[in-house]
Amino acid sequence: MTTGAIIMMLFGLGITWGGAAYCISVAMNKQSRD
């Protein structure tokens, strides 16, 4: 694998996990408000 491919893979994982964490935090905030 080239360095660019590794960087893009890590970047993609960061977006995926970041998006999942964001969705979870939003869901937790909505639950705590009810």
Side-chain angles (χ1 to χ4, degrees), residues 24-34:
I24 291 172
S25 66
V26 169
M28 294 293 268
N29 285 337
K30 286 184 179 178
Q31 282 185 350
S32 63
R33 283 179 190 155
D34 290 340

Side-chain angles (χ1 to χ4, degrees), residues 4-33:
I6 293 172
I7 291 172
M8 287 302 295
M9 184 179 65
L10 291 174
F11 191 66
L13 283 174
I15 292 176
T16 302
W17 284 106
Y22 177 74
C23 288
I24 291 172
S25 66
V26 169
M28 294 293 268
N29 285 337
K30 286 184 179 178
Q31 282 185 350
S32 63
R33 283 179 190 155

